[in-house]
């Protein structure tokens, strides 16, 4: 069995990518299963989705804890301590990263100890679709890696997208982009096999749950104001960037931020709490001067540092 | 940076409630953050922005009673963004939960088992689906009993938490998961939005107001004004919802302003039933400006322009302001 | 002389309950009207409020309890089901609400008379359940219920159940304890785990994500309920010391040397006891076991009481449509792994308050004896007589169904 896990940011299309792959595998005659992971998060948060492909009926469900292949649709997720897209990756497994870097560079930069493939699908998406929605592209890449056919991929993209979009032209562009990616990436030889193997390597021990009094065991929270620990800063695709020359300290950005992520420094200037800012960019939209602009996270990391 | 921020968020003040005077501009908004970031609401959630300002106005000596909806996920074990108390009840009954808490606090104080300093304001927080539909009975009961509580309804005009379906607050011609425009019904939602303000106002509660996340000064002053009344103090916040309304998250505030500027959302208050409009645009913008930027109304413009529906919406808005003799 | 409803009201008054949100339903209304009268006259210092529905009523009662007040409420049948969502919710809050259910059959068809499908529908909610046979027991059980529910090892809400009409409206002698004595038995409720106050904010009833958290919280409720078995014994002993009346988790009647045992609950048990007495007079070694505590289910006490008996007939005054008697299933599961398990027969009787006559009890006892001879428990059977069948025929005729 192949177990693939897609990691992306909300809106990038990880769920649809897993569907495209699942559908293509099914069309190629395999048993397939795809599954999006729902969290508490509404739109914007990192998203994971799983696809299983096998020659035999699949006796598993739910999230894939130990994938053979991980598709990282947003490079910055690799450094995100909460998402940890590579967690559980099997030895000999493959990581496919959406980056313009070479596999060797990515391996070095993110200290990855696995087979790495890279393809800059954001740029392909922007060029071919005119938008950074990567579902069909990531699906195309994954389909190639697991050895599915071009025909099934084409059919799968059409099937999955026709229930989401009505624009025929856009659908055709997606097919073209998926096929482009399918052909742009070269599979590598590795030891993962397409037959069912037991995933439960680390044995866990079943315990008898001890009783705890209600003061401990009721679903009440005695801590206060601790959501900043969740670090929703990892949701951002773009970040608000500051250039204080024009700032009049009008406080409009502070009043407009839904999450209260704009704080005031000693001199009365606003600044962003990047640990928590979700990147909605209302502040950029609302700033009456040119103090706020937006920068894509991938570049922000490189240009500004964090 | 987070540590630095944590101090600033407090504005250097402790739990003590500030006495709040009417404010004049955005600069006067109290700096304390009573709801911290890191919640799972969508980026650009208009309801959260409204709530953030309500929390500033209410202070920390409150208990929020919540009904099922997006904001139920504000407290997810083991996290809470609040410095105050919270109780999640169920979709139909947050006002009944408020009744139980208010009554219990009162009797415990009366019997000397709770220090009056420990008293709390009781604040119901629900979405429109709860407020307009399922909890009408429990809300009407609470208002009728003159329960001393606040009700904040963040009205995103749909059942948001379940993925955006029609609610009693969904406006005419809006697309939702259960009112999909199709060959046979190209308009989407065919019913008019319920007038919850009027329904609530028929009880003549001490204080009732509509608010907007884009008008925080108006919002905070309304809370300030409401504070003097014992009994129900009710607020409906029209809250743009990026995924539900089909807008970019950065556009939430612009759209909330447009709702007011086009006359779609009337900012008003009623004291014991006496109505007053608090923000009246000098010149109303055409409603179309508000509609055409939202994905949920896109079918009114493409593939064919639904002239009839568009006219009907504009006429509805005009009729409202004419009726109140404010359309100049 | 007090009705079951008045006895319930007295229990609430003696427990010095702080808060009582209500909603009327026959046959529970006498309880809330009595309390309303006392509060209005100032003999009881509680806050009383009539809500807009049982759903709201349960929410208000539960949230008052979550605030730290001692709360009480009461309902029956349709009302219980209307508030059903909140039973699970309130139990999950881990608050010691005491709630009386006056049993009544469930619609459709709508009826006023009792059976136990209402309260047994709530058996998986987390509420503990005490079921009463007499008016005295109703009063006493309410006091015991607060002690049990408020114990830190438990902290779960609890039902005290009594049958509509047969107990709720039936007057019989009831000893009303002295309030000082009750105070000794039942101290003030001062929760450490659930309250609302400005100096210690608490987010109660938070959402959880993921099965591990959910399993943890749910199973802790189960363990707290299991703890209640031992705590119940303590409460029971103390109650006996203070008030001289003993209520174990199960009650045996002529049970010790009995070969043939009826298992029943609630007020109809009195009829069963009479039948047992009559059978003894005919030389049959009959006995009766009345289950009083149904949640937590007193498995050990039940096994001790009926293990080794020749035959046991469970008389279910309820019906799980498509399966049969609810208690029969529960008892069977307790006995399955026992070496000396009795033959277990299942009867459905008393649905919608249908009387169980001596003839019908005799039939059941005979079935036990026959079954013991043939080693065949037979299938579950509705206890219904030829006379009733004829009468039903007449009614059908009048309804134009003839
Ligand atoms: C009794 C009941 N029915 C249905 C639901 C499912 N449900 C959960 S949240 C929700 C939508 C609530 O909508 P709204 O009040 O508008 O709040 P929003 O989700 O938009 O924040 C629904 C229908 C529920 N929790 N309880
Ligand atoms: S769905 Fe809408 S209301 Fe709900 S959290 Fe997202 S933006 Fe806010």
């Amino acid at each position: 069995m192949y177990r693939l896990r897609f990691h992306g940011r909300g809106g990038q299309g990880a769920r649809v990518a897993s569907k495209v792959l699942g559908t293509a595998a099914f069309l190629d005659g395999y048993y397939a299963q795809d599954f999006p992971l729902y969290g508490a998060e509404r739109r914007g948060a990192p998203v994971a989705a799983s696809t299983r492909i096998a020659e035999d009926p699949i006796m598993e469900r739910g999230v894939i804890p130990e994938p053979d292949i991980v598709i990282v649709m947003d490079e910055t997720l690799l450094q995100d301590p909460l998402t940890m897209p590579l967690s559980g990756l099997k030895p000999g497994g493959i990581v496919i990263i959406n980056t313009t870097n070479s596999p060797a560079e990515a391996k070095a930069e993110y200290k990855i100890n696995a087979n790495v493939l890279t393809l800059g699908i954001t740029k392909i998406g922007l060029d071919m679709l005119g938008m950074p929605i990567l579902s069909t592209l990531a699906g195309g890449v994954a389909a190639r890696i697991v050895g599915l056919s071009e025909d099934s991929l084409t059919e799968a993209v059409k099937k999955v997208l026709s229930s989401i979009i009505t624009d025929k032209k856009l659908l055709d562009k997606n097919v073209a982009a998926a096929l482009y990616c399918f052909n742009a990436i070269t599979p590598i030889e590795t030891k993962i096999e397409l037959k069912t193997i037991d995933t439960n390597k680390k044995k866990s021990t079943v315990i008898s749950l001890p009783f705890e009094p209600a003061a401990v065991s009721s679903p009440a929270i005695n801590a206060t104001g601790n959501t900043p620990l969740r670090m929703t800063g990892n949701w951002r695709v773009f970040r608000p960037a500051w250039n204080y020359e024009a700032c009049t300290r009008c406080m409009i950005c502070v009043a407009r931020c839904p999450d209260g992520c704009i704080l005031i420094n000693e001199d009365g200037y606003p600044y962003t709490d990047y640990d928590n800012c979700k990147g909605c960019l209302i502040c950029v939209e609302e700033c009456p001067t040119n103090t706020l602009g937006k920068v894509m996270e991938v570049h922000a990391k490189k240009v500004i540092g964090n | 940076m987070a540590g630095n921020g944590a101090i600033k968020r407090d504005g250097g003040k402790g739990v003590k409630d500030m006495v709040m005077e009417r404010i004049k501009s955005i600069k006067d908004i109290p700096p304390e953050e009573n709801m911290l970031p890191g919640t799972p609401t969508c980026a650009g959630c208009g309801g959260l922005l409204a709530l953030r300002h309500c929390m500033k106005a209410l202070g920390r000596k409150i208990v929020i009673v919540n009904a099922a909806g997006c904001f139920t996920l504000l407290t997810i074990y083991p996290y809470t963004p609040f410095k105050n108390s919270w109780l999640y009840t169920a979709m139909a009954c947050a006002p009944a939960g408020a009744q139980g808490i208010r009554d219990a606090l009162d009797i415990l104080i009366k019997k000397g088992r709770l220090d009056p300093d420990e008293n709390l304001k009781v604040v119901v927080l629900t979405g429109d689906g709860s407020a307009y539909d399922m909890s009408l009975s429990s809300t009407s009961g609470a208002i009728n009993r003159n329960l001393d509580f606040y009700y904040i309804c963040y009205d995103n005009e749909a059942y948001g938490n379940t993925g955006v379906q029609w609610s009693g607050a969904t406006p005419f011609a809006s697309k939702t998961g259960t009112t999909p425009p199709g060959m046979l019904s190209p308009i989407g939602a065919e019913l008019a939005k319920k007038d919850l303000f009027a329904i609530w106002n028929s009880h003549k509660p001490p204080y009732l107001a509509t608010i907007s996340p884009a008008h925080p000064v108006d919002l905070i002053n309304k809370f300030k004004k409401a504070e003097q009344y014992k009994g129900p103090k009710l607020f409906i916040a029209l809250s743009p919802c990026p995924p539900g309304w089909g807008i970019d998250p950065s556009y939430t505030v612009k759209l909330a302003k447009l709702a007011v500027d086009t006359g779609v959302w009337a900012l008003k208050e009623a004291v014991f039933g006496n109505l007053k409009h608090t923000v009246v645009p000098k010149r109303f913008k055409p409603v179309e400006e508000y509609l055409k930027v939202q994905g949920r109304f896109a079918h009114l413009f493409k593939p064919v322009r639904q002239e009839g529906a568009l006219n009907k919406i504009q006429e509805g808005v005009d009729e409202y302001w004419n009726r109140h003799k404010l359309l100049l | 002389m007090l009705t079951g409803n008045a006895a319930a009201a007295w229990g609430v008054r003696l427990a010095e309950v702080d808060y009582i949100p209500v909603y009327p339903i026959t046959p529970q209304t006498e309880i809330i009207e009595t309390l309303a009268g006392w509060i209005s006259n100032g003999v009881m210092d509680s806050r009383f409020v009539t809500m807009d529905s049982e759903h709201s009523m349960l929410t208000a009662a539960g949230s008052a309890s979550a605030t730290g007040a001692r709360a009480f409420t009461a309902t029956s049948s349709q009302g219980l089901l209307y508030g059903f969502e909140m039973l699970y919710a309130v139990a999950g809050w881990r608050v010691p609400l005491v709630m009386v259910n006056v049993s009544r059959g469930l619609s459709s068809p709508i009826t006023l008379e009792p059976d136990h499908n209402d309260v047994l529908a709530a058996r998986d909610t987390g509420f503990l359940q005490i079921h009463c046979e007499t008016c005295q027991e109703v009063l006493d059980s309410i006091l015991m219920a607060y002690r049990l529910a408020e114990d830190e090892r438990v902290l779960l809400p609890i039902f005290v159940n009594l049958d509509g009409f047969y107990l709720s409206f039936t007057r019989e002698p009831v000893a009303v304890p002295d309030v000082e004595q009750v105070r000794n038995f039942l101290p003030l409720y001062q929760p450490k785990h659930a309250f609302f106050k400005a100096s210690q904010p608490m987010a109660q009833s938070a959402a959880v994500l993921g099965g591990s958290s959910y399993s943890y919280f749910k199973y802790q409720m189960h363990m707290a309920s299991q703890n209640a078995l031992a705590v119940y014994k303590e409460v029971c002993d103390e109650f006996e010391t203070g008030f001289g009346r003993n209520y174990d988790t199960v009650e045996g009647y002529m049970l010790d040397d009995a070969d043939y045992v009826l298992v029943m609950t609630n007020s109809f048990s009195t009829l069963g006891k009479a039948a047992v007495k009559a059978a003894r007079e005919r030389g049959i070694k009959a006995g009766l076991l009345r289950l009083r505590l149904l949640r937590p289910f007193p498995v050990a006490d039940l096994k001790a009481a009926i293990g080794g008996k020749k035959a046991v007939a469970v008389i279910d005054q309820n019906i799980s449509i498509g399966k049969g008697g609810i208690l029969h299933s529960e008892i069977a599961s307790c006995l399955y792994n026992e070496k000396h398990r009795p033959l277990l027969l299942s009867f459905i009787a008393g649905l919608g308050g249908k009387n169980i006559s001596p003839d019908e009890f005799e039939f059941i006892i005979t079935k036990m004896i026959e079954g013991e001879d043939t080693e065949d428990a037979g299938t579950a059977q509705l206890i219904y007589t030829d006379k009733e069948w004829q009468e039903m025929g007449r009614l059908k005729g009048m309804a134009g169904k003839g």
Side-chain angles (χ1 to χ4, degrees):
Chain A
M1 183 181 330
Y2 279 137
R3 299 178 183 83
L4 296 95
R5 209 169 59 203
F6 294 83
H7 289 271
R9 295 189 184 278
Q12 279 182 326
R15 287 177 202 183
V16 176
S18 77
K19 278 194 191 176
V20 167
L21 181 64
T23 309
F26 172 75
L27 292 172
D28 261 350
Y30 293 107
Y31 288 93
Q33 189 187 74
D34 53 65
F35 170 73
L37 174 65
Y38 281 90
E41 277 72 14
R42 311 254 139 291
R43 191 162 79 175
V47 180
S50 305
T51 307
R52 292 182 171 91
I53 301 170
E55 283 166 341
D56 315 317
I58 297 168
M59 306 293 284
E60 297 177 11
R61 294 209 178 280
V63 181
I64 295 174
E66 296 181 357
D68 306 296
I69 300 169
V70 171
I71 298 101
V72 184
M73 295 168 66
D74 191 304
E75 190 178 356
T76 57
L77 286 172
L78 284 164
Q79 286 172 327
D80 179 42
L82 297 180
T83 310
M84 296 197 297
L86 303 189
S87 70
L89 181 69
K90 289 214 204 100
I94 303 173
V95 186
I96 305 162
I97 306 170
N98 170 17
T99 174
T100 46
N101 287 346
S102 71
E105 284 168 339
K107 250 177 124 151
E109 182 169 354
Y110 300 113
K111 302 189 180 60
I112 302 172
N113 185 16
N115 299 306
V116 173
L117 292 172
T118 62
L119 187 66
I121 58 174
T122 303
K123 180 155 188 327
I124 301 171
L126 288 170
D127 289 349
M128 297 186 71
L129 308 174
M131 57 176 119
I133 295 180
L134 312 176
S135 43
T136 47
L137 295 84
V141 170
R144 178 65 181 278
I145 300 303
V146 297
L148 302 179
S149 71
E150 259 188 80
D151 287 352
S152 296
L153 175 65
T154 307
E155 210 37 49
V157 171
K158 285 186 188 159
K159 262 200 154 75
V160 173
L161 285 200
S162 60
S163 66
I164 308 172
I165 53 176
T166 43
D167 186 343
K168 173 84 175 63
K169 273 200 201 115
L170 186 59
L171 205 153
D172 290 343
K173 283 184 193 166
N174 268 285
V175 172
L179 291 176
Y180 179 88
C181 293
F182 183 90
N183 290 311
I185 196 132
T186 327
I188 38 172
E189 289 298 321
T190 176
K191 286 199 306 280
I192 330 169
E193 283 169 18
L194 195 69
K195 72 174 201 264
T196 308
I197 43 167
D198 187 8
T199 48
N200 280 336
K201 279 201 217 82
K202 278 183 231 115
K203 234 181 152 22
S204 31
T205 317
V206 172
I207 57 151
S208 296
L209 194 67
F211 169 76
E212 296 186 308
V216 179
S217 68
S218 74
I221 303 165
N222 296 358
T224 58
N226 61 355
T227 38
L229 294 172
R230 295 168 55 95
M231 309 268 264
T232 43
N234 74 354
W235 294 20
R236 281 192 309 275
V237 180
F238 291 92
R239 67 163 53 192
W242 296 83
N243 169 10
Y244 288 103
E245 264 157 47
C247 178
T248 60
R249 294 181 286 186
C250 68
M251 297 297 125
I252 287 178
C253 55
V254 180
R256 299 312 193 193
C257 177
D259 295 85
C261 282
I262 300 183
L263 313 172
I264 308 294
N265 72 14
E266 269 84 50
D267 304 324
Y269 283 97
Y271 65 95
T272 305
D273 164 9
Y274 287 115
D275 286 345
N276 293 296
C277 163
K278 293 170 182 165
C280 70
L281 304 177
I282 291 177
C283 52
V284 178
E285 188 74 31
E286 293 297 308
C287 174
T289 68
N290 279 328
T291 303
L292 278 153
K294 66 173 186 177
V295 184
M296 212 166 161
E297 268 309 315
V298 189
H299 304 305
K301 288 263 159 59
K302 288 184 183 139
V303 180
I304 311 167
N306 197 10
Chain B
M1 195 167 262
N4 184 5
I7 299 163
K8 291 289 168 180
R9 269 179 202 119
D10 257 13
K13 300 209 172 59
V15 195
K16 250 200 143 29
D17 276 348
M18 313 207 309
V19 182
M20 205 175 31
E21 291 310 321
R22 263 190 88 78
I23 62 170
K24 293 199 184 65
S25 82
I26 271 184
K27 286 198 171 187
D28 303 332
I29 295 172
E32 291 86 352
E33 297 293 350
N34 294 329
M35 179 174 70
L36 298 199
T39 65
T41 53
C42 303
C45 173
L48 194 73
L49 177 55
L51 178 61
R52 180 174 156 240
H53 289 300
C54 297
M55 298 291 295
K56 283 170 180 274
L58 286 165
R60 289 183 186 170
K61 290 173 90 172
I62 64 170
V63 49
I64 298 178
V65 190
N66 172 245
C70 287
F71 285 8
T72 299
L73 301 177
L74 290 176
T75 67
I76 295 195
Y77 196 88
Y79 302 109
T80 171
F82 302 113
K83 304 252 176 172
N84 52 264
S85 290
W86 166 277
L87 177 71
Y88 165 69
T89 54
M91 195 167 165
C93 57
Q99 181 83 44
I101 296 175
R102 179 70 269 147
D103 288 343
L105 289 169
D106 287 348
I107 191 135
L108 288 175
I109 290 170
K110 182 186 155 218
K111 289 188 174 180
R113 301 206 330 249
L114 188 72
D115 190 324
D117 278 352
E118 297 281 18
N119 201 0
L120 298 168
K121 293 178 196 162
V122 183
V123 181
V124 167
L125 174 67
T126 82
D128 51 281
S130 175
Y132 284 68
D133 298 333
M134 207 187 266
S135 69
L136 264 185
S137 160
S138 61
T139 311
S140 169
I143 302 175
N144 189 235
R145 290 185 295 267
N146 203 37
L147 179 67
D148 190 22
F149 78 121
Y150 293 80
Y151 193 134
I152 302 168
C153 165
Y154 59 99
D155 179 359
N156 60 11
E157 305 198 312
Y159 296 136
N161 193 39
T162 38
V164 190
Q165 295 83 23
W166 180 93
S167 85
T170 300
F172 170 72
S174 175
K175 171 188 166 187
T176 71
T178 47
T179 54
M183 295 272 282
L184 295 182
S185 29
I187 301 297
E190 302 202 346
L191 302 177
K193 182 182 173 83
K194 282 189 199 174
D195 188 350
L196 185 66
F197 188 93
I199 294 171
W200 281 357
N201 203 29
S202 68
H203 288 276
K204 298 192 171 50
Y207 194 81
L208 164 61
T210 57
I211 50 179
S212 163
H215 288 261
V217 174
D218 177 74
L219 181 157
I220 286 177
N221 285 333
K222 281 173 171 166
F223 272 86
K224 174 69 198 151
K225 184 166 181 185
E227 213 172 88
Q228 61 185 298
Y229 301 105
K230 207 168 167 351
K233 297 168 270 281
L234 315 165
F235 299 85
I236 311 170
L238 184 72
S239 304
C241 161
W245 293 19
I247 54 166
D248 190 81
S250 65
Y251 211 66
T252 293
V253 172
K254 284 245 148 58
L255 197 64
K257 281 187 214 159
L258 263 178
V260 174
D261 294 346
T262 53
V264 165
W265 190 240
L267 287 173
K268 54 190 172 181
E269 65 182 9
V271 176
F272 294 108
N274 293 318
L275 182 69
K276 193 181 115 193
H277 286 82
T278 57
V279 177
V280 183
K282 292 220 172 61
R283 256 191 52 240
F284 288 91
K285 291 184 174 161
V287 175
E288 210 175 304
E289 278 187 37
Y290 170 74
L291 302 175
K292 70 183 179 205
V293 289
Q294 302 181 55
R296 62 175 173 158
F297 294 116
H299 59 284
L300 300 183
F301 301 96
K302 266 199 317 196
V304 271
R305 207 179 140 86
Q306 302 290 340
E307 206 61 60
L310 288 167
N311 287 340
K312 190 169 160 184
I313 297 171
Q314 183 67 61
E315 281 160 15
V317 171
D318 292 348
E319 189 277 328
Y320 175 88
W321 292 100
N322 269 323
R323 182 155 33 98
H324 293 286
K325 304 194 173 36
L326 290 165
L327 192 64
L328 304 172
Chain C
M1 296 279 282
L2 292 177
T3 61
N5 278 344
W10 266 105
V12 178
R13 175 168 164 178
L14 291 169
E16 299 183 290
V17 166
D18 299 312
Y19 186 50
I20 309 170
V22 302
Y23 195 86
I25 183 166
T26 305
Q28 151 268 32
T29 39
E30 185 191 355
I31 303 177
I32 61 173
E33 286 178 0
T34 307
L35 292 168
W38 286 336
I39 293 164
S40 168
N41 287 322
V43 294
M44 218 185 135
D45 188 10
S46 311
R47 195 160 288 243
F48 182 97
V49 52
T50 306
M51 300 298 291
D52 51 282
S53 71
E54 287 85 358
H55 192 279
S56 287
M57 173 191 92
L58 259 159
T59 309
S63 44
S65 201
T67 309
R70 183 175 284 163
F72 171 81
T73 192
T75 191
S76 172
S77 62
Q78 309 307 122
L80 184 69
L81 262 64
Y82 195 82
F84 208 75
E85 176 184 24
M86 295 316 291
L87 296 177
Y88 279 87
V90 165
W93 297 351
R94 303 297 303 271
V95 294
L97 170 67
V98 174
M99 176 160 181
V100 159
N101 183 65
V102 187
S103 266
R104 165 178 157 187
L106 290 168
S107 173
S108 296
I110 189 160
T111 185
L112 292 173
E113 292 190 65
D115 65 37
H116 305 135
N117 267 108
D118 56 358
V119 66
L120 290 180
R123 67 192 186 277
D124 304 335
T125 56
F127 273 65
L128 313 182
Q129 296 199 2
I130 293 176
H131 291 234
C132 303
E133 183 187 351
T134 68
C135 296
Q136 181 71 59
E137 196 182 337
V138 170
L139 190 160
D140 294 347
S141 294
I142 287 175
L143 304 178
M144 292 174 73
Y146 277 108
R147 258 297 292 275
L148 184 62
E150 290 171 5
D151 191 288
E152 286 194 9
R153 293 161 289 178
V154 180
L155 285 171
L156 285 170
I158 181 166
F159 278 113
V160 173
N161 194 68
L162 61 138
D163 282 338
F165 291 80
Y166 288 78
L167 214 54
S168 69
F169 298 160
T170 303
R171 272 162 40 95
E172 56 190 28
V174 175
V176 177
D178 171 62
V179 69
E180 278 305 325
Q181 217 184 341
V182 173
R183 279 183 194 147
N184 280 336
F185 171 74
L186 182 65
L188 267 186
Y189 175 51
Q190 287 170 313
K192 296 197 197 75
H193 73 298
F195 48 76
F196 291 120
K197 51 169 89 161
S199 62
Q200 272 172 277
M202 190 185 285
Q204 293 194 50
S205 184
V208 300
L209 275 180
S212 336
S213 295
Y214 188 81
S215 303
Y216 168 80
F217 290 118
K218 279 286 158 179
Y219 206 75
Q220 287 294 337
M221 290 170 68
H222 177 61
M223 285 190 286
S225 185
Q226 292 292 303
N227 284 352
L229 284 168
V231 178
Y232 183 87
K233 299 278 182 191
E234 294 174 22
V235 172
C236 189
D237 288 348
E238 262 191 63
F239 190 86
E240 189 175 8
T241 313
F243 303 95
R245 290 181 291 276
N246 174 283
Y247 301 99
D248 208 341
T249 58
V250 298
E251 183 209 359
Y253 179 79
M254 297 190 167
L255 188 66
D256 290 347
D257 66 336
D259 291 331
Y260 305 103
V261 181
L262 301 174
V263 178
M264 297 182 74
T265 65
N266 291 285
S267 68
F268 277 47
S269 307
T270 310
L271 306 178
K273 287 176 182 172
V276 163
K277 212 165 148 223
R280 286 271 176 174
E281 278 159 16
R282 296 197 308 275
I284 300 166
K285 278 189 162 180
L288 181 140
L289 182 77
R290 177 170 71 90
L291 299 178
R292 191 173 124 77
L293 192 65
L294 281 187
R295 281 294 179 274
F297 202 71
V299 176
D301 290 348
L302 177 91
K303 281 185 194 168
I306 59 174
K309 301 293 181 196
K310 287 185 174 158
V312 171
V314 182
I315 303 183
D316 269 293
Q317 203 172 350
N318 64 72
I319 181 160
S320 171
I321 310 267
K323 174 65 174 76
I326 293 171
L327 295 178
H328 175 263
S329 292
E330 297 217 336
I331 293 168
S333 77
C334 297
L335 297 176
Y336 183 79
N337 288 322
E338 295 300 292
K339 275 220 176 65
H340 304 289
R341 54 184 189 216
L343 193 73
L344 197 67
L345 292 81
S346 175
F347 298 94
I348 310 289
L351 289 186
K354 191 193 97 62
N355 184 41
I356 312 177
S357 66
D359 290 350
E360 291 164 58
F361 278 113
E362 207 180 308
F363 172 86
I364 293 171
I365 291 168
T366 309
K367 278 283 175 196
M368 274 197 279
I369 297 168
E370 285 172 12
E372 203 247 325
D373 288 345
T374 57
E375 292 184 13
D376 179 8
T379 50
Q381 183 167 4
L382 175 73
I383 297 300
Y384 204 76
T385 64
D386 52 352
K387 283 189 201 137
E388 286 165 332
W389 174 242
Q390 280 161 19
E391 172 63 4
M392 202 54 224
R394 196 176 67 83
L395 298 184
K396 283 184 287 184
M398 287 162 70
K401 302 282 195 86

